[in-house]
Amino acid sequence: MYRFRLLWTSLSPIKKINKVVPVFRSRPIPRFKYTTPVALSFSLFTWLGFQKKLSMEDELILTIKHCVLFIERGDYEKAEQLLHVALRQAQQFQHQLGITYIYDVMANLALERNQLDAAKQLFIAVTQRIMADGATEDDTRVVHISVKLARISHLKKDYQTAQIGYDWCIEKLKKALSNDPDIDILKLLSIAEDWYGRLFIECNQYEQGFKLMISALERMKQVPNVEQEHIVVQLNDIGTVSDLLGRTDESISYFQEAIQLGKKVENMELGAMYINLGRAYIKKNLLNEARKNCGYGWKLGVITKNDDVKKEAELCLNQIKNST
């Protein structure tokens, strides 16, 4: 199966996974973006049955494969150019399934590039093509796209429309999962719950957001071979929400778990997480532990040349100095 990077949970400009800067808990709303590792991206490739109808040697699928590789490398301009080549090939072959899949890849690329209006129109076109081919609104492929449309409304801050969309999709996915314990459905439900939880956080409804983010984390941990980057960032963000709810001991546990797991992930930036943990220790008046963690966060900021992390670490250290 060919996978490609897809926007996961974050809200500001996209950063590659090896340059992730997790949220700082001193901010009321998660600020930094991160992307989905390739193996966790979700597209219609499997649910369309695409690989069953095209061989690996087929000219069209080879072109699509190269498109996906460019997307994975972050070379979006080349990917977009090649996608138009692939679309012309599919239209020339009158390969309707190929056309649908290419539209889906284009839509996901537009979403990753934060081209929300273009992504919305492309996802609607994909839905129309699928339903014209006989799919109903309960079809997993339709729900799959509806989750992304809800996400687009969310990113456009049309919270009412997004909430209606998330509610509908989560209900459908839970029902589908009860009938078919499919890993792709489980992933999609986890993604939908995580996005929905962050909507509530943005609207200062922390308790409701916390519950959804916890549910998303528990589901994602059930996914075989899940990329640990996501678990690390989810743990850090849940620690952030725990702090916003005044649950300092819980936030410390989540930050510690995120750091311990993050140490096992190659190129995972942990400076901000150490600072988060340090600030939690300040609240507990454990200043030696706070100084150690904020100091190490500063060191990592220097090593990775991350000015944001260095600045936050310095603020943390000054706060400790003023508390003594």
Side-chain angles (χ1 to χ4, degrees):
M1 181 188 304
Y2 303 121
R3 302 283 192 171
F4 49 90
R5 295 181 183 272
L6 174 71
L7 186 66
W8 170 258
T9 53
S10 31
L11 304 173
S12 44
I14 295 172
K15 300 180 184 293
K16 291 184 175 61
I17 195 68
N18 63 340
K19 296 185 179 179
V20 168
V21 183
V23 297
F24 294 104
R25 64 190 282 280
S26 59
R27 295 186 171 91
I29 296 175
R31 166 180 177 207
F32 297 101
K33 290 181 87 67
Y34 51 94
T35 57
T36 306
V38 175
L40 261 182
S41 304
F42 62 109
S43 72
L44 291 179
F45 195 92
T46 301
W47 284 326
L48 282 175
F50 200 76
Q51 69 274 40
K52 297 177 182 178
K53 299 190 178 183
L54 284 176
S55 68
M56 291 295 293
E57 292 74 29
D58 190 280
E59 181 181 358
L60 176 58
I61 201 166
L62 288 176
T63 303
I64 295 174
K65 179 181 178 181
H66 283 104
C67 293
V68 173
L69 288 173
F70 280 128
I71 294 172
E72 291 175 1
R73 295 169 183 169
D75 195 340
Y76 300 142
E77 294 297 332
K78 287 185 179 179
E80 187 169 359
Q81 292 172 6
L82 201 54
L83 279 169
H84 287 287
V85 173
L87 182 59
R88 288 196 295 270
Q89 287 179 340
Q91 290 170 338
Q92 181 181 357
F93 300 153
Q94 296 186 353
H95 199 300
Q96 299 305 315
L97 184 61
I99 294 170
T100 301
Y101 180 62
I102 292 165
Y103 280 153
D104 184 60
V105 177
M106 285 179 165
N108 281 285
L109 177 57
L111 179 55
E112 176 128 353
R113 301 178 77 180
N114 208 36
Q115 298 170 350
L116 302 182
D117 290 334
K120 179 179 179 179
Q121 294 305 314
L122 284 163
F123 280 130
I124 289 173
V126 174
T127 304
Q128 291 172 338
R129 291 180 64 85
I130 292 172
M131 297 190 78
D133 201 35
T136 65
E137 68 173 19
D138 291 328
D139 191 295
T140 307
R141 296 167 297 174
V142 175
V143 180
H144 166 108
I145 296 173
S146 297
V147 172
K148 296 176 185 177
L149 288 170
R151 176 60 174 168
I152 290 171
S153 295
H154 179 177
L155 292 171
K156 292 173 69 107
K157 300 191 183 301
D158 182 358
Y159 294 129
Q160 184 175 6
T161 301
Q163 183 170 3
I164 292 170
Y166 285 139
D167 280 332
W168 185 86
C169 292
I170 288 172
E171 179 185 353
K172 296 292 184 184
L173 288 168
K174 285 181 176 179
K175 182 179 178 180
L177 193 62
S178 67
N179 295 327
D180 178 14
D182 181 81
I183 293 301
D184 286 322
I185 296 175
L186 181 63
K187 284 182 188 177
L188 185 54
L189 178 55
S190 174
I191 290 168
E193 287 184 332
D194 187 76
W195 282 344
Y196 198 11
R198 291 167 192 270
L199 182 151
F200 280 110
I201 300 303
E202 288 180 54
C203 297
N204 299 321
Q205 298 181 43
Y206 301 128
E207 190 66 51
Q208 186 65 24
F210 180 80
K211 290 177 181 177
L212 282 162
M213 291 173 73
I214 287 291
S215 178
L217 176 64
E218 290 174 349
R219 293 188 196 280
M220 193 55 67
K221 285 183 175 180
Q222 298 174 35
V223 176
N225 301 318
V226 61
E227 271 73 11
Q228 296 304 294
E229 293 96 330
H230 286 292
I231 303 299
V232 172
V233 178
Q234 283 181 299
L235 286 166
N236 179 71
D237 291 354
I238 290 170
T240 302
V241 180
S242 297
D243 177 68
L244 293 171
L245 289 167
R247 302 171 184 171
T248 306
D249 289 335
E250 286 186 30
S251 71
I252 289 173
S253 296
Y254 284 117
F255 293 139
Q256 288 176 331
E257 187 178 354
I259 289 169
Q260 290 306 310
L261 185 58
K263 289 178 180 179
K264 303 174 184 177
V265 178
E266 186 178 2
N267 295 323
M268 190 82 191
E269 286 193 14
L270 301 176
M273 297 183 194
Y274 277 103
I275 297 167
N276 290 345
L277 180 57
R279 285 197 172 118
Y281 279 128
I282 292 174
K283 283 196 170 184
K284 298 290 290 184
N285 202 34
L286 298 172
L287 299 186
N288 287 335
E289 287 296 318
R291 187 178 296 107
K292 180 176 71 174
N293 283 281
C294 288
Y296 193 60
W298 181 87
K299 180 179 179 180
L300 291 177
V302 172
I303 292 171
T304 59
K305 299 180 180 180
N306 191 315
D307 290 336
D308 285 329
V309 170
K310 286 172 57 181
K311 180 180 178 181
E312 291 292 334
E314 288 164 2
L315 290 172
C316 179
L317 292 168
N318 286 334
Q319 185 178 355
I320 296 168
K321 182 179 179 180
N322 293 332
S323 299
T324 56

